Amino acid sequence: MSDGVRTGPESSGRPLSEAYDTALLDLDGVVYAGGNAIAHAVGSLERARAGGMHLAYVTNNALRTPGAVAEHLTELGIPAAAEDVITSAQAVARLIAEQVPAGARVLVIGGEGLRVALRERGLEPVESADDDPAAVAQGYGGPELAWGRFAEASYAVARGVPWFASNTDLTIPSGRGIAPGNGAAVEVVRIATGKEPQVAGKPLPPMHRETVIRTGAKRPLVVGDRLDTDIEGAFNGGVDSLLVLTGVTDGARLLAATPEHRPTYVDADLRGLLTGQPEITREGEGFRCGGWTATAGDTRLELDGDGEALDGLRALCAAAWTAAGEGSCELDGGKALARLGL
């Protein structure tokens, strides 16, 4: 990095599963999508765990309880216990408990995971704005969440009840594509009330704090598919990150990433945990990784060479991020990415 700003993915001579003690793994888009395991996830995590890496599953999805998530992972062939799962519901419940009296009532707009997390903190979930709640907690409630729940939240928030959101992810991956996430639901209440919630989930500090408290990680590696939650959360927490290209982030978004959204490492999928990461070297005005050399022209990124597509993408990132730091942000990488099949 230059002056604290990342200008290209970094290298590692050791497998990441050996270089870091704990993998803080996002779930949707990283381990599974639509309930099914993503290709190579099960075998990669098994090998990382067998090599001594602690695996923790960190999700902004507040719908399910940690126990339910662990059961699902185990069914997929990834043995996990409830204590291995950290959710934004747990993070927002701790945030609320620090600001309201013990045993206070909390209006819940969401699923069972949020209710269980609130009870864990000694708070009482209620269903109506007329139940005299001390706070409103909003988390992802799944596609069946009734529209009237947003109205209930709006009534309470408009009356001045403090409003908390587990997370503000606008979208969530599913087996059929990208669906609206809790952030879209939060927008409904924001529009109706003109108010702003306190948010706990990634990329904000309450979620990172919850994760560190529950895992005891000393040298963690955040593994995710989203720049604005997983990677920014790692940036805010001052820890390293691995972006996998199995979820919502594609090559174009990665090239355009602002400094807080630039991952330490980039790989195709969770097999990246089991390998080192290739070195990117500067050659004149360009950057070389594997068989590829990338340079930033006046208006576009240029790519030359052949070999592994990911090496080309890493070289392109170095060219684009360096050019952005030098004030050349409007670079077209479309042709270069097309050549890589990305």
Side-chain angles (χ1 to χ4, degrees), residues 20-338:
Y20 298 88
D21 68 345
T22 305
L24 305 179
L25 294 136
D26 184 48
L27 288 171
D28 293 304
V30 175
V31 178
Y32 55 62
N36 298 315
I38 288 173
H40 309 296
V42 174
S44 298
L45 293 176
E46 180 180 6
R47 288 179 59 190
R49 183 175 53 251
M53 189 178 218
H54 177 213
L55 305 180
Y57 303 94
V58 185
T59 176
N60 263 359
N61 191 331
L63 178 60
R64 294 187 293 172
T65 66
V69 173
E71 182 178 354
H72 179 208
L73 288 169
T74 302
E75 289 172 352
L76 293 177
I78 305 168
E83 54 266 29
D84 297 323
V85 179
I86 301 94
T87 73
S88 63
Q90 294 171 320
V92 78
R94 187 184 298 272
L95 191 63
I96 294 170
E98 292 171 343
Q99 299 183 43
V100 302
R105 296 178 176 182
V106 178
L107 173 60
V108 175
I109 312 299
E112 186 62 15
L114 191 51
R115 292 180 177 85
V116 168
L118 291 167
R119 293 190 189 103
E120 183 184 30
R121 292 282 151 227
L123 302 170
E124 180 185 349
V126 297
E127 302 301 316
S128 172
D130 297 331
D131 289 331
D132 193 27
V136 176
Q138 185 171 1
Y140 182 65
E144 306 306 320
L145 186 67
W147 186 257
R149 301 307 298 154
F150 304 140
E152 210 64 45
S154 298
Y155 300 148
V157 172
R159 295 171 189 171
V161 177
W163 177 28
F164 298 81
S166 63
N167 66 297
T168 53
D169 298 32
L170 291 173
T171 61
I172 187 169
S174 77
R176 297 175 61 193
I178 302 299
N182 191 55
V186 166
E187 285 299 314
V188 173
V189 179
R190 179 186 281 122
I191 291 168
T193 64
K195 305 291 187 180
E196 296 287 336
Q198 292 186 52
V199 183
K202 297 181 284 187
L204 297 174
M207 188 66 170
H208 184 71
R209 178 181 59 155
E210 191 73 21
T211 300
V212 171
I213 289 172
R214 290 180 180 267
T215 65
K218 302 299 183 185
R219 183 162 168 71
L221 177 70
V222 170
V223 184
D225 70 306
R226 301 183 70 106
L227 302 179
D228 60 347
T229 55
D230 305 313
I231 306 308
E232 186 176 340
F235 176 87
N236 290 339
V239 299
D240 289 345
S241 60
L242 167 66
L243 177 79
V244 291
L245 302 176
T246 49
V248 302
T249 299
D250 59 15
R253 290 188 179 93
L254 182 58
L255 294 186
T258 52
E260 69 274 15
H261 290 167
R262 297 172 184 172
T264 314
Y265 311 107
V266 179
D267 223 304
D269 51 53
L270 286 177
R271 288 177 294 181
L273 284 175
L274 308 174
T275 65
Q277 294 289 307
E279 184 178 7
I280 301 170
T281 58
R282 186 150 196 170
E283 296 187 354
E285 296 300 316
F287 295 86
R288 185 170 185 83
C289 185
W292 298 94
T293 299
T295 58
D298 292 337
T299 60
R300 66 185 183 277
L301 295 171
E302 299 174 353
L303 185 68
D304 186 40
D306 57 32
E308 295 290 333
L310 269 171
D311 288 340
L313 179 61
R314 294 175 180 117
L316 282 170
C317 285
W321 297 351
T322 299
E326 296 171 354
S328 303
C329 298
E330 301 298 326
L331 292 172
D332 175 18
K335 290 184 178 179
L337 289 171

